[in-house]
């Protein structure tokens, strides 16, 4: 049972960027980007962070020296975290703005 949970968790790490990319694609295709711009920006930051950090974690075991991988991961993670925090507040603001529109 424990192996199943760890296997499922490992696969979910790769599912997040796929779902973010699909959601961005559908928002762009439906031309809702203008209405949900902050959400698209938030999803883009998540997609970009995942696209960099997941291969970096994999390569740190095989090709890249661990200390270098850690330094790169550290700065990318915390920079994207700060951007996500700001964009999350802006997404909440835009939701309230849409809800309160006459």
């Amino acid at each position: 049972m424990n192996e199943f949970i760890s296997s499922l968790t490992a696969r979910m790490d790769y599912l997040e960027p796929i779902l973010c990319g699909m959601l961005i694609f559908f928002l762009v295709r439906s031309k809702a980007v203008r209405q949900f711009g902050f959400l698209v920006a938030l999803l883009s930051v998540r997609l970009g962070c995942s696209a960099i950090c997941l291969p970096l974690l994999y390569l740190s075991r095989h090709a890249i020296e661990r200390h270098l991988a850690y330094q790169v991961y550290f700065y990318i993670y915390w920079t994207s975290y700060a951007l996500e925090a700001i964009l999350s507040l802006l997404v909440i603001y835009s939701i309230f703005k849409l809800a309160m529109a006459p």
Side-chain angles (χ1 to χ4, degrees), residues 27-83:
L27 284 170
V28 169
R29 195 173 111 191
S30 68
K31 296 181 179 121
V33 176
R34 178 165 259 177
Q35 191 174 9
F36 301 107
F38 293 127
L39 179 62
V40 172
L42 176 65
L43 292 171
S44 299
V45 169
R46 280 301 308 152
L47 180 64
C49 178
S50 296
I52 295 170
C53 288
L54 286 175
L56 186 65
L57 288 174
Y58 176 75
L59 291 175
S60 70
R61 297 182 192 123
H62 303 291
I64 300 175
E65 199 264 325
R66 285 184 181 240
H67 295 290
L68 175 64
Y70 173 76
Q71 287 179 340
V72 172
Y73 182 86
F74 177 84
Y75 289 111
I76 290 173
Y77 176 81
W78 285 109
T79 303
S80 68
Y81 185 83
L83 286 172

